[in-house]
Amino acid sequence: MVFVNDEPNLSDSERTKAAKEEAERSLSSYWGALEGTIDPMKVSKAADNSVIGNVEEVAQQIAERFHSDDCVMAWFDFFNHDSPRVIRNMDAFMNKVVPRVKELIAVSYTHLRAHETPEHLVCRGVRGKKKGGGGG
């Protein structure tokens, strides 16, 4: 789940705080709708698996948690019943978070490749081979 806050007139720290509050409310509503009861531990675990914060923080979390080949399915907070806000969040994600993630992954990948040893390259070649004789 993605809880990004890029609202105008807020500082980055205020955006982070607001995103965390929104995530807590939304996850409580989500679990309440699924189970008919709110289990604080499940809400806490769900929040741990979510990406929450301002644009830079969300981008950093995605870059750190996922491999560049992963497909990330983003689920946004629809429980707040504020459609214009959901649209702004999705817009911020696509136009600000995604390009920033691409930058972070490119830097990380370049840094990793620059420090690889021949053993790393052999492992990469073995993992990259496909069944049926395709090379990696």
Side-chain angles (χ1 to χ4, degrees), residues 20-84:
K20 288 179 180 179
E21 291 169 354
E22 292 159 5
E24 187 175 324
R25 281 192 308 271
S26 179
L27 292 169
S28 293
S29 295
Y30 175 74
W31 284 112
L34 284 180
E35 299 184 23
T37 183
I38 298 174
D39 180 346
M41 195 59 163
K42 287 184 181 178
V43 172
S44 176
K45 286 181 183 179
D48 289 343
N49 290 325
S50 298
V51 290
I52 303 169
N54 62 48
V55 167
E56 182 64 24
E57 291 168 333
V58 168
Q60 291 279 346
Q61 291 170 43
I62 291 171
E64 290 169 5
R65 294 184 192 182
F66 300 98
H67 186 273
S68 61
D69 292 336
D70 288 343
C71 180
V72 176
M73 183 177 79
W75 187 82
F76 293 85
D77 176 16
F78 293 101
F79 284 106
N80 69 21
H81 306 289
D82 182 352
S83 295

Side-chain angles (χ1 to χ4, degrees), residues 129-135:
K129 287 187 178 181
K130 297 178 182 175
K131 291 183 179 180

Side-chain angles (χ1 to χ4, degrees), residues 76-95:
F76 293 85
D77 176 16
F78 293 101
F79 284 106
N80 69 21
H81 306 289
D82 182 352
S83 295
R85 174 65 191 283
V86 173
I87 291 168
R88 288 194 306 273
N89 291 350
M90 293 169 73
D91 183 64
F93 184 82
M94 290 306 300
N95 294 311

Side-chain angles (χ1 to χ4, degrees), residues 114-132:
H115 292 88
E116 285 182 328
T117 66
E119 291 79 19
H120 290 119
L121 298 175
V122 169
C123 290
R124 185 184 306 283
V126 169
R127 280 196 325 252
K129 287 187 178 181
K130 297 178 182 175
K131 291 183 179 180

Side-chain angles (χ1 to χ4, degrees), residues 94-112:
M94 290 306 300
N95 294 311
K96 295 181 180 180
V97 173
V98 170
R100 182 64 181 132
V101 169
K102 288 179 181 179
E103 290 172 2
L104 292 168
I105 289 174
V107 169
S108 174
Y109 185 72
T110 301
H111 178 75
L112 174 67

